[in-house]
Amino acid sequence: MTIQNGTRSAVFKIVASAVAALSLVAMAAPATAAGGGAKHPRSGGFSFEGPFGTFDQAQLQRGYKVYREVCAACHGMQLMSFRNLGQPGGPFYDAHENWSPAENPYVRALAAEVQVPDIDTETGEPITRPATPADHFPSPYPNATAAAAANGGAAPPDLSVMAKARHDGANYIYSLLSGYVPAPQGLKMAPGQHYNPYMAGDLAPFWEGDEHHVPPGGFIAMPAPLSDGQVTYDDGSPQTVDQYAKDVAAFIAWASDPHAVERKRTGFGVLIFLLLFAGLTYASYRRIWKGIAH
Amino acid sequence: MSDHESTYVPKTGIEKWLDSRLPIIRFGADYMSLPTPRNLNYWYTFGGILTLCLMVQIVTGIVLAMHYVPNTELAFASVERIMRDVNGGWLIRYVHANGASMFFIAVYLHMLRGLYYGSYKAPREIIWILGCVIFFLMIATAFLGYVLPWGQMSFWGAEVITNLIGAIPMIGEPVLIWLRGGPAIDNATLNRFFSLHYLLPFVIFGVVVLHLWALHTSGQNNPAGILIPKERTPKDTLPFHPYFTVKDGFAIILFLILFAVFVFYMPNALGHADNYIPANPLQTPAHIVPEWYMLPFYAILRAIPDKFGGVLAMFGAIGVLFILPWLDTSRVRSMRYRPTMKVFFLIFLVVGVGLGWCGAQLPDAQVVPGMPSFQLLDGQLNSYLWLTRLLTAYYFAFFFIIMPWVGLKETPLPVPHSISEPVLDGGIPEKKG
Ligand code: HEM
């Protein structure tokens, strides 16, 4: 029961707690490390990162435009309805007008630009009609087989939750779309395949060059979808591949987690409350245990 | 503490009426006045934290089940619908998904606490064994729950784990088909997994009641690991309320802060991104990994070259916990007085974390990148395969060799006769908190 024993025990306790805490982090971290030798995504400098970040509404609107005009030709977003575009926090929400998502005129107009399949209520024949805010985004292909057949065997995945389905989602999508480069000399390309240094994969079997310098990344069946000037922006933002890629990545990040900002705001309140509550409880603890040896 | 006398006196007429029919208020009052060892430290707060975790999982789970659809075509979208369209649904679902991780953090610390202070030793063997039952049921529940959102990891995790059953000689194949409800993982599997995932938490609840009953019969252990002699009870203990309610309460709030940081700021950090890809039976993910809390056992499974052997080792790693009370030969409970054992315990901690780390790596990958090594049997020496085997060997040696052997050979430090003795002379390392 010497002092020395006390110190040793304290050190031991600290070490034990540190090990316990680290174990969690250590085990969670490698689970995300999968994905071969792809290049680490570049940062898109997004406004929604960090505990206080919020979506840039103008960017979400541009991102929706890029999705609608470019990506929607191949990719569905089945979990999205047009009304989502007008919900609080969404790209076309207007805090001043207080429209419901269904009566939001922007949303109605955007929906009406898109044709969706339906059944004629009189004849029962399949028809197409302009979408309403209640409709889901239509998928470009009737099924996954048709989608794969039209794209060299690889079906374009649904983009509704794409930012959550890849590690570092928004930065990854941005880097992938803006990161196409010509395939390095010595890489055996299969027809219908493209090279992208950010795509997961292992290129060693296809590499004829120096075995210690296998190029990073992998093959992707998606041809570089964006080119400068392809989509017209009316807010003066640069009409470049880099900007398009950032904007559409931001839009997909919002669509993947539409309540992210609300979540972080709620969390702030919850943490303030818990910290105050912890302080109060600690004060009661000190008071109750005052003068009690233990 | 077992024969703690009831001090409850019903005051009003209705309390008296109730007390002679269903003494439920007396039960609560006796619980609150329970004499509790005064030297309990913060490692002893995880019991309360675990109770909270179970409640949180049950309450959020019941709400999720109101919106969830256990059908392979609809399950993924129904979970996303909860997150997008159900009011507060994102909160409920993130609390439930992260709640499982929090539950496991708490249970691991709770078990390590028991291991360190010798809480499994007589007269508390039953408490310990019931705790092991709870742990096993938790693993089963979490595994079943992880299948429900029907993402890629849900499906392929279920595939890998149910396949293990198929490795059992003779009966494996029929049992496998019976469990899955068909030759492959499909709608029938998802439906029964949902049913069982709903059921098991209530079974856990029942075992928790038994666990606490056994606890209040044998009395709580304490960091000194000594039994409190009857005549010392007033000096060595304090009533549960307010002393330990406030201490547990404070710890619970700290735990909730950690919980909230995950739920609100990094809700997907503990999960795998692949589980946001809808399950696709035709496309195997590059790297199938279970949730972090299963990784050490997954590593042990893969350490054994034979599949059935791996299954036995994995279940053995959990099973050995059940017989722990009879593997430890030491007369002293608390490792506070067992300096040699303390060192082995620390190594055990590192090994446990190491196994978790290995469980997330590809077995063939090099531990030290670029370091040349040689082929040893079925793998390179410098590979996670061999590191996992080394750690697995220690894991089992800790229980089967070190525990019995050190207990017989070591010279423990002098153990105090009672709690208040070392506390009052100021020598014991527990200070505030
Ligand atoms: C011991 C307590 C429990 C544990 C450890 C647990 C664990 C889990 C886990 C790990 C998931 C997957 C979360 C995800 O990644 O999405 C899950 C999902 C689910 N659980 Fe539980 N659970 C528990 C209790 C319950 C109870 C009591 C119910 C129902 C009454 C329930 C209903 C559900 C439902 C409907 C899902 C699917 C929704 C989703 O995936 O988020 N759970 N559970």
Side-chain angles (χ1 to χ4, degrees):
Chain A
M1 308 309 105
T2 58
I3 295 295
Q4 191 208 350
N5 191 2
T7 326
R8 223 193 309 137
S9 158
V11 170
F12 170 74
K13 250 196 260 171
I14 294 168
V15 172
S17 335
V19 168
L22 274 178
S23 60
L24 178 66
V25 181
M27 290 178 193
T32 57
K39 252 169 99 170
H40 195 74
R42 281 170 293 133
S43 164
F46 292 110
S47 62
F48 51 84
E49 283 169 350
F52 300 104
T54 54
F55 290 106
D56 169 354
Q57 206 181 20
Q59 182 172 47
L60 295 187
Q61 295 182 358
R62 294 193 303 270
Y64 173 71
K65 194 160 200 251
V66 176
Y67 167 73
R68 180 55 61 208
E69 292 181 15
V70 183
C71 322
C74 301
H75 292 279
M77 287 184 96
Q78 286 180 335
L79 299 172
M80 287 287 293
S81 301
F82 289 96
R83 67 178 163 79
N84 293 131
L85 299 172
Q87 75 189 24
F92 297 95
Y93 176 66
D94 190 328
H96 301 297
E97 294 288 350
N98 204 19
W99 291 310
S100 79
E103 62 192 16
N104 181 316
Y106 300 114
V107 172
R108 294 168 73 107
L110 290 167
E113 286 171 11
V114 178
Q115 292 286 315
V116 291
D118 202 351
I119 302 282
D120 188 299
T121 47
E122 304 277 308
T123 65
E125 291 295 320
I127 52 163
T128 57
R129 59 162 173 81
T132 68
D135 283 307
H136 282 257
F137 286 11
S139 295
Y141 300 103
N143 52 55
T145 315
N151 287 282
D158 189 272
L159 295 180
S160 314
V161 288
M162 187 50 83
K164 289 192 292 190
R166 296 289 182 277
H167 183 54
D168 199 7
N171 289 327
Y172 169 75
I173 297 170
Y174 158 64
S175 305
L176 182 81
L177 295 177
S178 59
Y180 280 89
V181 288
Q185 281 292 318
L187 194 62
K188 272 188 293 178
M189 302 286 297
Q193 292 291 348
H194 308 269
Y195 168 70
N196 192 304
Y198 296 96
M199 181 74 179
D202 179 8
L203 293 176
F206 310 96
W207 179 239
E208 284 165 344
D210 178 1
E211 62 169 304
H212 294 292
H213 293 95
V214 180
F219 293 132
I220 181 164
M222 168 167 71
L226 296 166
S227 54
D228 288 345
Q230 189 178 6
V231 178
T232 312
Y233 280 162
D234 24 277
D235 66 352
S237 299
Q239 303 186 30
T240 58
V241 168
D242 195 71
Q243 188 64 35
Y244 294 149
K246 264 184 203 156
D247 293 348
V248 76
F251 173 70
I252 294 173
W254 168 77
S256 301
D257 202 356
H259 296 291
V261 173
E262 182 191 352
R263 163 163 62 70
K264 291 189 278 191
R265 283 213 184 110
T266 314
F268 188 67
V270 169
L271 282 180
I272 297 283
F273 169 78
L274 285 174
L275 287 170
L276 289 176
F277 197 18
L280 205 65
T281 314
Y282 188 66
S284 340
Y285 165 75
R286 291 301 295 259
R287 225 182 121 151
I288 288 170
W289 282 80
K290 200 168 180 173
I292 306 231
H294 62 288
Chain B
M1 265 153 282
S2 39
D3 33 37
H4 157 54
E5 262 169 46
S6 184
T7 52
Y8 168 69
V9 186
K11 290 189 200 74
T12 61
I14 192 154
E15 278 179 80
K16 284 183 191 136
W17 183 86
L18 186 65
D19 197 51
S20 56
R21 288 162 178 82
L22 177 72
I24 191 163
I25 305 183
R26 177 179 300 278
F27 180 81
D30 291 352
Y31 201 113
M32 284 298 140
S33 61
L34 198 75
T36 308
R38 64 198 305 152
N39 59 339
L40 297 190
N41 55 24
Y42 276 104
W43 297 113
Y44 280 78
T45 60
F46 286 100
I49 290 173
L50 283 163
T51 315
L52 178 85
C53 287
L54 181 61
M55 292 304 141
V56 167
Q57 290 307 96
I58 290 183
V59 171
T60 52
I62 289 175
V63 179
L64 287 174
M66 294 175 188
H67 303 279
Y68 171 77
V69 187
N71 176 293
T72 51
E73 296 288 322
L74 305 170
F76 185 90
S78 78
V79 172
E80 273 302 319
R81 191 180 150 75
I82 292 171
M83 304 260 289
R84 291 155 181 272
D85 291 342
V86 173
N87 289 328
W90 57 266
L91 180 60
I92 305 276
R93 196 264 173 150
Y94 279 151
V95 167
H96 195 77
N98 285 283
S101 281
M102 294 296 132
F103 207 156
F104 277 93
I105 297 177
V107 85
Y108 280 129
L109 293 176
H110 189 67
M111 293 168 80
L112 286 169
R113 183 283 321 255
L115 191 61
Y116 185 73
Y117 294 122
S119 306
Y120 49 88
K121 292 173 77 71
R124 302 190 182 85
E125 301 93 323
I126 300 281
I127 309 180
W128 175 263
I129 291 175
L130 289 170
C132 295
V133 172
I134 296 173
F135 175 60
F136 186 73
L137 290 173
M138 273 176 66
I139 292 188
T141 309
F143 162 69
L144 295 167
Y146 195 58
V147 178
L148 302 185
W150 209 244
Q152 274 288 69
M153 281 300 158
S154 299
F155 181 89
W156 290 97
E159 175 80 20
V160 170
I161 300 300
T162 54
N163 257 333
L164 299 178
I165 314 280
I168 302 172
M170 316 276 282
I171 57 162
E173 206 58 27
V175 171
L176 177 65
I177 291 178
W178 178 73
L179 275 180
R180 287 178 174 172
I185 302 220
D186 210 331
N187 209 41
T189 326
L190 181 59
N191 256 293
R192 64 190 54 203
F193 278 20
F194 179 49
S195 170
L196 293 173
H197 182 69
Y198 208 137
L199 170 68
L200 286 191
F202 296 92
V203 178
I204 294 179
F205 186 86
V207 184
V208 168
V209 170
L210 297 180
H211 186 69
L212 293 180
W213 184 9
L215 174 74
H216 292 154
T217 306
S218 342
Q220 229 174 335
N221 190 23
N222 59 76
I226 50 177
L227 290 180
I228 298 171
K230 201 163 172 48
E231 67 283 2
R232 306 253 357 168
T233 302
K235 280 200 144 172
D236 282 4
T237 66
L238 291 166
F240 186 70
H241 180 72
Y243 295 97
F244 292 95
T245 40
V246 75
K247 192 165 185 164
D248 278 356
F250 178 57
I252 285 178
I253 297 168
L254 292 185
F255 186 77
L256 286 178
I257 291 176
L258 177 75
F259 199 158
V261 167
F262 276 106
V263 167
F264 293 105
Y265 293 101
M266 37 211 281
N268 296 312
L270 296 171
H272 197 296
D274 277 16
N275 223 29
Y276 281 108
I277 305 173
N280 181 354
L282 301 177
Q283 189 184 34
T284 318
H287 196 177
I288 303 175
V289 280
E291 293 276 87
W292 70 266
Y293 39 80
M294 319 260 191
L295 287 174
F297 300 105
Y298 188 57
I300 292 177
L301 167 78
R302 292 192 304 180
I304 313 293
D306 174 64
K307 197 166 162 197
F308 183 54
V311 175
L312 287 182
M314 182 175 74
F315 284 104
I318 300 172
V320 62
L321 300 174
F322 284 78
I323 55 164
L324 184 60
W326 297 277
L327 292 175
D328 183 358
T329 54
S330 166
R331 286 167 296 112
V332 175
R333 284 195 194 79
S334 175
M335 286 195 204
R336 180 178 281 182
Y337 308 110
R338 304 179 61 193
T340 319
M341 199 58 199
K342 210 187 249 187
V343 174
F344 286 112
F345 175 80
L346 255 190
I347 301 175
F348 180 75
L349 273 187
V350 174
V351 165
V353 176
L355 279 170
W357 176 267
C358 290
Q361 310 300 323
L362 294 169
D364 294 337
Q366 292 189 320
V367 179
V368 188
M371 191 180 85
S373 75
F374 56 91
Q375 186 81 12
L376 185 62
L377 303 175
D378 55 347
Q380 284 284 316
L381 185 62
N382 177 18
S383 70
Y384 279 100
L385 181 67
W386 277 106
L387 179 62
T388 310
R389 285 181 181 163
L390 183 74
L391 299 179
T392 304
Y394 184 86
Y395 182 95
F396 285 105
F398 180 76
F399 293 110
F400 288 112
I401 300 171
I402 297 171
M403 277 259 167
W405 179 70
V406 175
L408 293 175
K409 292 286 173 194
E410 76 188 338
T411 329
L413 301 174
V415 176
H417 297 293
S418 81
I419 294 173
S420 43
E421 180 193 293
V423 172
L424 295 183
D425 69 22
I428 211 155
E430 291 312 309
K431 280 187 280 313
K432 300 278 164 348

